[in-house]
Amino acid sequence: MGLHVLGVRHHSPACARRVTDAIRRLRPSYVLIEGPSDFNGRFDELRLGHQLPVALFTWYRAADRTFSCWTPFCRYSPEWAGMLAAQETGADVRFIDLPAWDKVFAGTRNRYADLKPQPERRDRSAEYVDKLCAQVGVDDMDSLWDHLFEQPMDSGELGHWLNQYFRALRGDAEAGDRDGPREAFMARCVAWALRDCQQRGGEVVVICGGWHQPVLERVQAGDSPEDAEFPAAPPPEMEEPETEAPEIKGPERKAPVWGTYLVPYSYKRLDAFTGYESGMPSPAWYDRLFDAGGDEAAEGMLLEVTGRLRAKKQPISTADLIACLSSARGLARLRGHAAMTRTDILDGIAVALLKDGLEQPLPWSRRGTLAAKTDPLLVEVIQTFSGAQEGRLAAGTPRPPLLFDVAERLQSADLEPGRAARGVRLELRKPEELEKSRLLHRLRVLGISGFERKSGPDSGISEELAEQWELHRTDTMESELIEASAWGANLEAAALRKLEEALLEARGLEEQVARLGDAVFVGVQGLAMRVITAAAEAVHREGDFRPVGGALARILGLWRGGVLLGAAGAQQLGTLLEALFDRGLWLVEGLSGPEQPADEKVVAGMLAMRDVARFGSGRFGPALELPAARAAGVMRRCAVSAEAPPAVRGAALGWLFTTGEGEGGSAEAAIRGAGRPETFGDFLYGLFGMAREEIATPALLAVMDGMIGEMDLQSFLVALPGLRLAFGWFPPRERRKLADAVVALHGGDARAAHRLLKMSVSPQEVVLGAQSERRARERAAQFGLADGQG
């Protein structure tokens, strides 16, 4: 009887081969694997012939909180290799780690994390790894690992060096709050197996992350009582929610709910370059390395890279291909590698194909996602090394009820997506199409890909209650639906629970209103009513105008589409609009900053207030009780206030004109009062944003034209950015009419306006030219060569 602890790095081909060789040689009674012990009774599901990669998706929901974690496997995962070898030799195989719902996994998205996230572990192990990297002359842990272990050597030699490495990596470091409970549980499982083998003979093989190896090697059979059973997975604990959000009560949950399902995975999700926290980048490379030696894998990957680049119209010649391979082989020999490693072939590609300087370091010289401005050629190379492999679950794999519920609902509603994109238009005034809309919105809220809303009512100005959707089947749809089952067994319950949790996490009025929109479109009327009540309470605590303005725009659209929420809901929304409008008046008058640049959200919020006043007047439907006279007074004061931001002054003046409260003389005075070059464009931004059509009268255009014409060159250059921003409100047709009017003021014809709108040079070149002319005149004046002198 003996214990054999095989420390591994997760997703390492070398470790996978070592595990397979050891199990075949030892033919143990037990193979114990670091993995979620709650799945021990369902190992047959892992043997159904899936197309890898796949993952165990574990979730639990308790006290209005949902947590999820993945345990991924690919062909070259040591854990998967151990399962296959155990099946081949007839060993009893079991997982020995705590379930993912245990509190020690809080914040962990992937169980097989690579030296992360423990601070005490990082301090000790990172220092050791950094010293080794410096000694060997490599950039990071990935290159170090390939240099030390993903090289041709027999299993015994590899095991020797892995043992040395992992023992030095751990040293005398304590397990910590996260790994301590895990190692204690794993030790109990190992002790039980040792005691059982002590009684009837046999070997015990343990496959675990190398960090845990030194601890589990010390386990004795006597550490387990004689009458003990194999440790069962502990159930999750009930946790109280920690939130300061308004109390929104959902369904009573007297006990936690949890589960684990197999889900399809992908190499893209497994790759460190896309953010996977477990390390081992470039899955396609290691997949090839698992089947062949480094040289053969390098040649195969280089051919794939060449094909991809040529498909992207990159001129990669046979000579380039030879240069890449020659460079990679030379680097491998220089670095003392018996076979080419991942960085050897990547560096060889960079040496042979990159012609220009780089704005970012080579992606494989650091860990993490690709940085912005990474060379496009290198992006394609990294994506090739990542691979496009998608997992598939075998027929007969248990699926959660949500998948069958969604499939039935889509089929019944004639909304089944196919491989080709399919457009669907829904008229929300028709009850049967409104139900279809709610079905699609529930899928959207759950984050299921392939259901994209292209257009629909989300603005208070929209007159048409119709939506346009695009449906198509994606490779990730099944996995996303399985993962969404953490929220509920059917589509309506899952969407409701996800919205409830999102609401509990919402902070402030703006986020609450966004959740309200989701609740309305999903059709959960009870939740929508509760959100309206909570939002109404939050309105009076809000001290920033921008979220109030944003909420007004969103809720106005929901109120006008009263069919979405029914008469009672529309009435409550109207009450909320009245409260938001009143609060907005108080806050907008308090805005100050005569030098403050235009704030898009502030102007949009004032525009939303104007729309509420317009559509709530009773001329377009139900009337709201709005303080119209007070609103007009606030806008008059803001329009002439020397302390208000320029854009607010302009928007207030535009409000008065669009509501019939403005006068030509007062408008001229307000515009002239905003004539400083530094702020004139910001003032016009607010004015045009609110009333671009109403304000384009000959008299007011003449005032604005005269003010711009009176500016000297330097003042005009100062005002130009703001002016360009302001005139961006005008669409092309209105811009043409405006140009015609301005040209007419100067006695020109319409053709001149057409030429002005289509300049042969860019505005930046015009500005640079004007600046050059000014400098030339100043220089000429220094030598007495002013205008008119020879």
Side-chain angles (χ1 to χ4, degrees), residues 197-524:
C197 286
Q198 189 178 53
Q199 296 171 355
R200 60 187 181 91
E203 306 290 320
V204 176
V205 168
V206 178
I207 303 168
C208 63
W211 176 261
H212 309 295
Q213 176 183 343
V215 173
L216 298 184
E217 285 177 327
R218 298 194 292 267
V219 176
Q220 303 289 327
D223 296 340
S224 175
E226 292 187 12
D227 58 349
E229 296 183 353
F230 189 82
E237 299 178 3
M238 192 74 167
E239 294 185 11
E240 295 298 324
E242 298 179 3
T243 177
E244 299 177 359
E247 184 180 5
I248 307 292
K249 294 185 179 296
E252 288 288 333
R253 297 192 184 123
K254 297 181 180 180
V257 184
W258 64 90
T260 297
Y261 282 99
L262 265 170
V263 298
Y265 218 62
S266 68
Y267 276 178
K268 182 177 181 181
R269 296 180 70 179
L270 198 64
D271 192 355
F273 280 118
T274 60
Y276 175 58
E277 66 181 26
S278 175
M280 297 302 281
S282 308
W285 159 260
Y286 288 108
D287 190 302
R288 281 184 174 273
L289 187 62
F290 184 56
D291 289 330
D295 289 344
E296 186 176 337
E299 292 172 7
M301 286 305 304
L302 182 56
L303 289 174
E304 281 196 42
V305 168
T306 303
R308 185 184 184 102
L309 291 176
R310 286 173 176 170
K312 298 287 184 178
K313 309 302 181 184
Q314 290 286 333
I316 306 300
S317 66
T318 303
D320 291 328
L321 187 64
I322 295 172
C324 291
L325 199 55
S326 298
S327 298
R329 285 173 175 160
L331 288 168
R333 287 194 296 270
L334 182 65
R335 293 163 176 171
H337 296 159
M340 285 182 280
T341 66
R342 183 181 70 102
T343 49
D344 291 334
I345 189 65
L346 286 171
D347 286 341
I349 292 171
V351 168
L353 300 185
L354 290 179
K355 310 301 182 184
D356 301 316
L358 298 178
E359 295 187 54
Q360 291 288 345
L362 294 171
W364 50 90
S365 65
R366 51 179 289 277
R367 306 203 74 190
T369 56
L370 289 176
K373 298 184 178 180
T374 297
D375 189 283
L377 184 144
L378 297 182
V379 172
E380 297 297 330
V381 171
I382 289 299
Q383 290 178 352
T384 306
F385 272 66
S386 177
Q389 179 79 7
E390 297 277 351
R392 296 285 186 275
L393 297 183
T397 306
R399 267 87 162 173
L402 179 64
L403 270 77
F404 304 102
D405 180 67
V406 168
E408 181 180 344
R409 289 172 185 265
L410 290 174
Q411 182 180 28
S412 176
D414 190 27
L415 293 173
E416 290 180 291
R419 284 296 175 184
R422 170 192 175 192
V424 175
R425 179 180 172 82
L426 300 175
E427 299 286 346
L428 302 186
R429 298 189 189 277
K430 298 178 180 180
E432 67 278 7
E433 297 197 11
L434 176 59
E435 284 304 311
K436 291 183 179 182
S437 168
R438 288 171 174 170
L439 167 61
L440 295 176
H441 275 287
R442 289 166 188 169
L443 292 166
R444 177 187 60 80
V445 164
L446 290 173
I448 309 303
S449 60
F451 301 91
E452 184 180 359
R453 188 179 191 242
K454 307 298 288 188
S455 65
D458 58 2
S459 165
I461 304 174
S462 177
E463 295 286 349
E464 188 178 22
L465 276 177
E467 291 180 328
Q468 187 71 32
W469 291 79
E470 187 175 278
L471 315 182
H472 64 281
R473 178 166 293 281
T474 67
D475 293 332
T476 59
M477 189 178 297
E478 181 182 17
S479 175
E480 291 161 351
L481 281 169
I482 295 175
E483 292 168 16
S485 67
W487 299 101
N490 61 64
L491 185 56
E492 184 175 3
L496 169 62
R497 286 178 178 136
K498 186 165 185 181
L499 283 176
E500 285 178 331
E501 179 141 330
L503 184 62
L504 287 170
E505 295 175 354
R507 295 294 182 267
L509 178 65
E510 202 165 14
E511 291 186 20
Q512 289 178 346
V513 169
R515 301 290 78 76
L516 171 60
D518 286 336
V520 170
F521 284 111
V522 162
V524 187

Side-chain angles (χ1 to χ4, degrees), residues 628-659:
R630 183 160 73 88
V634 168
M635 295 305 154
R636 288 194 188 95
R637 291 191 291 274
C638 286
V640 297
S641 171
E643 297 302 318
V648 171
R649 294 171 61 188
L653 180 61
W655 174 303
L656 295 174
F657 264 82
T658 58
T659 56

